[in-house]
Amino acid sequence: MDFFEAQDRARRQTGWLVVLFMLAVMGLILLTNLLVLGVLAYNQTGVPTFSPELLAQQFQWDVFLGVAAVVIALVFLGSAYKTMSLSGGGHKVAEMLGGRALSSDSRDPDERRVLNVVEEIAIAAGMPVPRVYLLEEAGINAFAAGSSPNNAVIGITRGAMETLTRDELQGVIAHEFSHIFNGDMRMNIRLIGVLHGILLLALVGYFLLRSSFFVRASRNRQSGGLVVAIIGLGIGLLVIGYVGHFFGQWIKAMVSRQREYLADASAVQFTRNKQGIAGALKKIGGALHGSLLETPAAPEYSHAYLAQGVKGFMQSLFSTHPPLPDRIRRLDPTWDGEFVVPVKQSTEAEPTPEAAPKPSLDIVGAVVAAGVLSAGKMVDQVGHFDEQQVEAAQAIIAAIPPELREAAAEPFGARAVIYVLLLDPRPRVEREQQRLLEQQADPQVVQVCQALAELRRDLPEAIRLPLIELTLPALEGLSEEQYRRFRAVVQALIAADKRVDLKEWILQRLVIRQLDQHFGLRKPARAIHGKLTQVKAQLQVMLSLAAHTEYPDAQQAEQAFNAGAAEAGMTDLTLLPRDALDLNTLNHALDSLEQLKPLAKPRLLKACAVCILHDGNTTVPAQELLRTLASCLDSPMPILVKSSEF
């Protein structure tokens, strides 16, 4: 499925979920009012009854509306609270499940293997490297969590980490990346919120039952009828809440099952190895603990795991995943029906950067030759990658100097890597930046900067963007105070020469934007623009930037700009001069473009791609610009490699 269609489908499914939620709330209002009328009738007659005539006598509009208001407030506020508490990023879900963030510089062989697979797939797919969380669980399972590709995390159990081969791990991680690309994570958060809101009625009933015991304990003889009324109301709310929760769980299971087949198929498409994900599923079937999770929070996120994570009443009805044999046979029709008993894998270390295979093809450059890739096919690759891009990612990681690679994996070094990438090649400006570092940066980070500074001079252009992406997990591990200091230093280094070049702007958008969201300093963009005509001025800014980035010649830049504008269906746009593209103009333009709805995003990306590819070639800076724009639109664009398929 097309990435943008999948994202739009996920957005529309959220709309249907809201409709179902509203219907469920209406049902809860009617049932709760019926219960309240029954309690009022009991207080009048002293006899429990639900006689229609007697209930009709008790009916009052002000009571009905008051009950409706209380139910709506409870359910909606409960749902909103739960959704908001989990929407700040996937790390909140992972921590709720008891996950521990793996350090990017871990030397544990098993942890290093998982981290390497995640890094390779993320760079191949063109998205920020997500943090990896380990659940100390014997079952074989995994999950992806977050509200967008830019704040996603990957979770994996110790059972999966220790018993799956590298190919099987790659299949599992690719399966979870498919959930990220298909917009499933946002739906998962919505489902948790809806069910929590409905369950609040049952919790109110529980507290009413608790309160009835306190009333009885007061030994007030006048309170006998009140106690019975409270007990009846409490039991009724418990029943209503759990009935609503029952149907909510059924809806959750129905929504989840089909998406697992799609994610399995996508994992095969991404890795070109059906035995990877199929082998993992076979081991789940043969494992003593299967895919079960022991954490008490497991049922809340049950619909988002690689495989069924919980057992429960009426499992066939509430199962959030298709049966393992069905999933395996879709992947491997020749399967003999025998599961595989997993054993602990060898703990041989992953290749070090020095020992890793060096690129044998022109992959590190990743420059698309003339006529190899069209603008349309570039955009079609968004949300998709294959084994060729994974190999390219492995080659790029191998080409990064070991000192930079190791530094990017821990918080002090990651800050130093970003600072070093911002150092200006002009001696006068670099001296000013070094002075700023000594004044404002952490002294230990400054020492690391001095050790890494020379490495930047021979760093291939195509490695800059992946290196930036590799620093993000470590930077997300900073404290809020450390991040604010880091952010201030980055802004000071960019402003040192009183102008902002493309490389600085790209780094600022990728790093500061994502970390601002992670630390709660910036809210995720809301999709409010359905057409490019609503962001016409901002499109003009971005096309102008693309044209000037790729074409130093003014006439060529104008021709390329006009081609991009025509692709967007806006021939009345005018190329802006270079000096009009300052930091504020670029940031305000991209802030608005980030608010495009999913189906409007490919038109924007294709218009920029047409502009960049106007002469049939493209440079690394232009590719970085396009991939940065795609990343900011939550539309990960994979590494551009030469392929015989195009």
Side-chain angles (χ1 to χ4, degrees):
M1 177 181 291
D2 175 83
F3 172 83
F4 301 100
E5 290 179 357
Q7 295 290 312
D8 187 63
R9 181 201 62 180
R11 191 173 65 86
R12 285 186 282 107
Q13 282 184 338
T14 300
W16 279 111
L17 187 63
V18 171
V19 172
L20 290 173
F21 184 42
M22 296 289 290
L23 292 174
V25 171
M26 289 173 61
L28 293 174
I29 288 172
L30 293 174
L31 289 174
T32 306
N33 267 289
L34 184 63
L35 175 65
V36 170
L37 290 176
V39 171
L40 292 175
Y42 170 78
N43 283 338
Q44 180 178 338
T45 64
V47 179
T49 179
F50 281 92
S51 165
E53 295 82 5
L54 188 56
L55 293 179
Q57 293 175 11
Q58 302 298 320
F59 181 81
Q60 299 177 40
W61 274 110
D62 56 341
V63 174
F64 179 88
L65 294 175
V67 170
V70 171
V71 171
I72 290 172
L74 279 174
V75 175
F76 276 86
L77 290 176
S79 177
Y81 168 78
K82 191 66 174 180
T83 301
M84 290 178 63
S85 69
L86 297 177
S87 63
H91 65 284
K92 294 190 176 181
V93 174
E95 290 164 2
M96 176 189 78
L97 295 172
R100 168 178 65 87
L102 295 184
S103 173
S104 299
D105 62 346
S106 172
R107 298 299 179 184
D108 179 275
D110 291 325
E111 293 181 4
R112 187 69 260 158
R113 190 165 49 125
V114 173
L115 290 166
N116 285 352
V117 170
V118 172
E119 289 170 355
E120 292 162 7
I121 292 181
I123 290 174
M127 63 173 280
V129 177
R131 297 189 80 183
V132 181
Y133 281 77
L134 177 65
L135 275 63
E136 295 293 344
E137 300 271 4
I140 300 174
N141 223 322
F143 65 89
S147 58
S148 75
N150 284 328
N151 64 23
V153 304
I154 298 292
I156 191 163
T157 62
R158 181 166 292 281
M161 184 178 73
E162 293 183 346
T163 64
L164 299 183
T165 66
R166 199 182 201 282
D167 283 350
E168 289 163 352
L169 276 175
Q170 194 177 64
V172 167
I173 300 302
H175 174 104
E176 298 307 328
F177 269 76
S178 173
H179 284 309
I180 295 173
F181 298 150
N182 291 332
D184 294 338
M185 299 186 303
R186 186 183 295 272
M187 175 66 74
N188 293 337
I189 298 295
R190 301 292 185 193
L191 283 169
I192 292 175
V194 166
L195 291 172
H196 183 78
I198 291 174
L199 194 59
L200 266 187
L201 280 179
L203 294 177
V204 170
Y206 169 77
F207 284 116
L208 284 176
L209 287 175
R210 291 276 312 263
S211 69
S212 69
F213 291 106
F214 287 109
V215 173
R216 279 190 294 175
S218 67
R219 298 181 180 180
N220 186 345
R221 296 181 180 180
Q222 304 292 326
S223 65
L226 177 62
V227 170
V228 174
I230 292 175
I231 291 175
L233 187 60
I235 292 174
L237 287 175
L238 269 175
V239 171
I240 291 170
Y242 278 107
V243 166
H245 192 67
F246 173 92
F247 285 105
Q249 291 282 6
W250 178 71
I251 292 171
K252 181 172 77 170
M254 294 297 292
V255 168
S256 176
R257 289 176 195 167
Q258 197 60 35
R259 294 183 299 168
E260 294 305 316
Y261 286 127
L262 175 61
D264 287 344
S266 296
V268 175
Q269 176 190 350
F270 294 159
T271 62
R272 295 290 196 269
N273 180 8
K274 66 180 181 181
Q275 294 305 323
I277 183 65
L281 295 176
K282 291 173 188 177
K283 285 186 176 178
I284 289 174
L288 176 63
H289 298 279
S291 55
L292 298 182
L293 303 180
E294 299 296 330
T295 174
E300 211 168 358
Y301 205 59
S302 62
H303 51 300
Y305 304 132
L306 169 71
Q308 194 72 32
V310 295
K311 282 184 176 180
F313 176 65
M314 299 184 72
Q315 185 61 37
S316 61
L317 179 63
F318 291 143
S319 176
T320 54
H321 293 67
L324 278 177
D326 291 355
R327 293 175 67 181
I328 295 170
R329 285 197 173 91
R330 286 200 181 196
L331 296 166
D332 183 7
T334 63
W335 180 50
D336 60 6
E338 293 293 323
F339 291 115
V340 176
V341 177
V343 295
K344 193 175 187 304
Q345 295 296 303
S346 169
T347 55
E348 293 180 5
E350 289 274 290
T352 62
E354 302 87 15
K358 300 301 178 184
S360 58
L361 301 173
D362 184 23
I363 290 178
V364 173
V367 178
V368 181
V372 173
L373 197 63
S374 69
K377 288 180 178 177
M378 286 175 71
V379 176
D380 288 343
Q381 287 192 69
V382 170
H384 300 279
F385 63 92
D386 58 28
E387 82 284 0
Q388 191 175 20
Q389 268 126 358
V390 175
E391 290 171 2
Q394 292 169 342
I396 287 174
I397 292 173
I400 297 174
E403 298 89 344
L404 285 173
R405 178 72 184 87
E406 292 173 5
E410 53 89 19
F412 280 105
R415 282 177 282 178
V417 168
I418 297 300
Y419 296 158
V420 164
L421 291 177
L422 286 171
L423 292 179
D424 198 287
R426 294 167 294 178
R428 179 185 60 80
V429 179
E430 183 178 356
R431 285 195 297 271
E432 173 63 16
Q433 290 176 319
Q434 293 286 4
R435 186 185 66 81
L436 289 170
L437 283 174
E438 292 172 2
Q439 288 180 345
Q440 299 183 27
D442 188 297
Q444 291 176 277
V445 178
V446 174
Q447 290 179 3
V448 181
C449 284
Q450 292 170 348
L452 300 177
E454 288 302 316
L455 294 173
R456 83 184 194 279
R457 303 189 190 281
D458 298 323
L459 195 66
E461 280 188 308
I463 287 178
R464 284 176 51 88
L465 197 59
L467 180 57
I468 291 169
E469 292 169 340
L470 286 172
T471 66
L472 289 171
L475 292 174
E476 289 179 354
L478 298 175
S479 68
E480 186 171 341
E481 181 181 352
Q482 287 174 323
Y483 171 62
R484 289 182 182 274
R485 187 175 185 179
F486 165 75
R487 189 180 191 276
V489 174
V490 167
Q491 302 288 17
L493 292 177
I494 290 175
D497 62 351
K498 307 297 189 296
R499 67 182 182 86
V500 179
D501 65 21
L502 179 65
K503 292 178 182 178
E504 291 172 336
W505 182 71
I506 285 176
L507 188 148
Q508 183 238 16
R509 287 303 300 195
L510 282 179
V511 176
I512 300 302
R513 170 186 177 273
Q514 173 150 340
L515 294 178
D516 275 357
Q517 289 189 13
H518 177 78
F519 287 99
L521 303 179
R522 176 189 177 99
K523 293 182 179 179
R526 294 181 58 195
I528 59 177
H529 303 308
K531 298 180 180 179
L532 283 184
T533 52
Q534 296 174 273
V535 287
K536 190 174 180 178
Q538 293 80 5
L539 173 63
Q540 181 172 261
V541 170
M542 206 51 54
L543 283 176
S544 298
L545 177 62
H548 288 308
T549 298
E550 184 69 8
Y551 306 101
D553 180 76
Q555 185 176 358
Q556 281 187 307
E558 186 168 6
Q559 291 173 351
F561 175 89
N562 291 337
E567 178 63 36
M570 300 180 199
T571 55
D572 57 337
L573 298 182
T574 303
L575 176 66
L576 299 174
R578 290 177 186 271
D579 56 12
L581 303 176
D582 57 33
L583 181 63
N584 288 334
T585 300
L586 293 176
N587 281 334
H588 286 319
L590 193 45
D591 285 345
S592 295
L593 293 174
E594 287 177 4
Q595 296 177 320
L596 286 170
K597 292 181 179 179
L599 294 183
K601 293 177 181 179
R603 290 198 64 195
L604 167 63
L605 292 174
K606 190 173 181 182
C608 291
V610 165
C611 177
I612 288 170
L613 289 171
H614 181 62
D615 64 353
N617 291 288
T618 181
T619 60
V620 171
Q623 288 183 43
E624 287 188 346
L625 171 62
L626 189 60
R627 293 182 67 203
T628 299
L629 176 58
S631 178
C632 291
L633 295 176
D634 288 330
S635 307
M637 179 173 287
I639 296 171
L640 304 178
V641 297
K642 298 174 183 179
S643 171
S644 59
E645 295 181 12
F646 299 108

